[in-house]
Amino acid sequence: MSTDYIGRFAPSPTGPLHTGSLVSALGSWADARHHNGKWLVRIEDIDPQRESPEATTQIVESLFAHGLHADENITYQHDNSQYYNEALDILRQQQKLYACTCTRKSLRALDQTNYPGTCRNQQHAEADLALRVLIEDATIAFKDLVLGQVTENVCQSVGDFIVRRRGPLYAYQLAVVVDDARQNITHVVRGSDLLDNTARQIALQRLLHCPQPEYLHLPLAVDDDGRKLSKQTGAQALDNSNALNNLREAWSLLGQKTPPESLVTCQQFLEHCKSHWCRDLVPLKSS
Ligand code: GLU
Ligand code: ZN
């Protein structure tokens, strides 16, 4: 196994795995395995109000039932506060961090897509307020391994964004950047619902002097009405007793060629996935 490639699957435990999340799990697994890389699993449990320990157990059991085994012990973001605080310190030392007292309501009233920097020079005491990172007005470009060149000016699209939420709770953008760097992740393979977070994450990587991984965004599994499969749209939990068929369905949603019917165990099927995975077949859009 090489350390030139370390990939990961990083679910938030908001519910059991469904077809959509299995597509991300299998896509990240296959891309890592095909390149003789490592594959890690990280449970992104930083929001106790939305997440539950039961969902964590269900996700872990479901991955196991589908033969998707991580190369190292599963890690949990709730263990990592110390590292997120260290990252906030780095931003604070660079004077890139400030507390924000704006409410959702006050921001909505501004009718602007990006945060206009209202609290930038207010010097609010941090206490448990939300903290925002100061973002420069510059275009960030990266090459997605499936979608090609993507550009975004974060300052204009979202503005100074939140890295620690009121509470305080660590924000996804901060936690994901810190952990991808700590775990030496080289390839981030995930659903394209996360595409528009990528430029923000790159902006943070630069401020924190973290290496920038490669990105590959997978098509989203959608329901018959074209809506993303998710708990919110009532996606069904995977039936672990039907694991092989679930893998077949996920593989087909990844645009890959149909494997022979003669593969009758998850293990045989995954061996096939490992050798036959082809990035060029991954569709740009879900069908
Ligand atoms: N935890 C995030 C989610 O489940 C995904 C994080 C990532 O892959 O960057 O939506
Ligand atoms: Zn503010």
Side-chain angles (χ1 to χ4, degrees):
M1 218 172 284
S2 91
T3 45
D4 298 344
Y5 187 124
I6 304 178
R8 82 324 187 255
F9 174 55
S12 303
T14 52
L17 289 187
H18 49 75
T19 302
S21 32
L22 186 64
V23 168
S24 297
L26 181 60
S28 61
W29 183 93
D31 198 67
R33 289 290 182 255
H34 185 74
H35 295 93
N36 290 317
K38 273 191 172 182
W39 185 71
L40 309 183
V41 173
R42 179 175 74 225
I43 303 290
E44 304 213 313
D45 52 353
I46 42 171
D47 187 348
Q49 287 198 334
R50 291 183 56 232
E51 300 157 350
S52 73
E54 295 74 48
T56 297
T57 309
Q58 288 170 325
I59 290 172
V60 171
E61 282 176 2
S62 206
L63 289 172
F64 192 82
H66 288 78
L68 297 167
H69 305 296
D71 292 310
E72 289 178 7
N73 288 339
I74 295 177
T75 55
Y76 296 85
Q77 287 192 323
H78 76 247
D79 290 332
N80 294 349
S81 311
Q82 169 199 350
Y83 306 109
Y84 308 145
N85 284 331
E86 283 170 14
L88 291 173
D89 279 340
I90 296 175
L91 298 174
R92 209 175 274 118
Q93 276 157 18
Q94 299 177 59
Q95 301 184 329
K96 298 282 187 194
L97 198 66
Y98 64 88
C100 168
T101 54
C102 299
T103 59
R104 261 174 219 211
K105 201 170 154 204
S106 70
L107 291 175
R108 221 178 299 123
L110 295 173
D111 198 22
Q112 233 172 296
T113 52
N114 65 349
Y115 177 76
T118 318
C119 296
R120 251 187 210 176
N121 300 311
Q122 301 292 321
Q123 319 280 353
H124 298 302
E126 286 188 16
D128 62 354
L129 291 179
L131 300 180
R132 291 183 183 269
V133 60
L134 200 76
I135 291 297
E136 63 169 346
D137 189 1
T139 299
I140 287 183
F142 64 97
K143 194 162 169 279
D144 184 275
L145 292 167
V146 165
L147 304 171
Q149 181 83 359
V150 179
T151 56
E152 183 178 336
N153 181 317
V154 176
C155 178
Q156 284 167 23
S157 57
V158 282
D160 298 342
F161 56 88
I162 291 181
V163 283
R164 195 189 76 185
R165 291 156 55 203
R166 197 183 282 265
L169 290 173
Y170 303 101
Y172 157 64
Q173 310 295 354
L174 179 79
V176 80
V177 164
V178 168
D179 287 334
D180 283 341
R182 286 184 59 243
Q183 296 184 290
N184 299 311
I185 300 300
T186 61
H187 291 72
V188 171
V189 177
R190 61 185 177 190
S192 46
D193 54 329
L194 294 162
L195 178 66
D196 66 5
N197 293 277
T198 307
R200 265 174 279 176
Q201 291 168 18
I202 293 173
L204 264 185
Q205 285 155 8
R206 292 182 183 170
L207 289 169
L208 295 170
H209 306 288
C210 296
Q212 180 180 327
E214 302 270 6
Y215 288 97
L216 191 164
H217 286 91
L218 301 165
L220 292 182
V222 292
D223 65 14
D224 294 341
D225 300 326
R227 294 178 309 173
K228 178 199 161 189
L229 280 186
S230 68
K231 212 178 60 172
Q232 287 74 24
T233 61
Q236 297 275 318
L238 290 174
D239 173 2
N240 291 340
S241 66
N242 202 18
L244 182 62
N245 280 329
N246 298 335
L247 287 173
R248 281 192 182 275
E249 186 188 2
W251 188 245
S252 136
L253 288 164
L254 287 162
Q256 307 296 305
K257 291 207 184 97
T258 311
E261 291 293 331
S262 59
L263 307 172
V264 291
T265 66
C266 286
Q267 207 187 339
Q268 288 169 351
F269 187 85
L270 289 170
E271 273 307 310
H272 177 95
C273 296
K274 175 180 172 177
S275 45
H276 290 79
W277 170 251
C278 177
R279 283 179 185 165
D280 292 344
L281 295 176
V282 175
L284 295 180
K285 276 220 166 113
S286 39
S287 53

